[in-house]
Amino acid sequence: HASLLVAIEYLTALEGDFWVKLRGAGLTYGSSIQNTTESRLLKFGLFKCTDVAGAVAAATQILVDYASGEAKISEVGLENAK
């Protein structure tokens, strides 16, 4: 549970990957990931989204890049997410 919360914070941090690649690209004003422990679900949200399909595709690619090892986790970003 704690590891998941750190991962969520890392991805959604100010100037983090979601901020830069979603908001910075003009796809959405904001995004969020929520861990709902009771229902055992992760929820992904977009706010004031101008391109839903593009934002979902970009968010999916971010996750795929980390899962495949193509994207590297920054030590500084990880420490800040803790």
Side-chain angles (χ1 to χ4, degrees), residues 21-80:
K21 295 177 181 173
L22 300 177
R23 183 182 171 129
L27 300 172
T28 187
Y29 183 76
S31 63
S32 66
I33 302 173
Q34 295 177 327
N35 177 28
T36 54
T37 309
E38 309 80 43
S39 60
R40 300 174 64 189
L41 296 173
L42 286 177
K43 295 182 180 181
F44 175 61
L46 299 169
F47 318 116
K48 298 182 182 179
C49 189
T50 59
D51 182 357
V52 175
V56 170
T60 300
Q61 190 60 53
I62 292 166
L63 296 175
V64 166
D65 289 348
Y66 278 106
S68 70
E70 186 174 325
K72 302 298 180 201
I73 296 172
S74 151
E75 282 296 320
V76 172
L78 182 59
E79 283 303 313
N80 289 336

Side-chain angles (χ1 to χ4, degrees), residues 7-20:
I8 290 170
E9 182 62 31
Y10 181 86
L11 290 169
T12 60
L14 184 65
E15 298 298 327
D17 282 332
F18 275 35
W19 176 274
V20 172

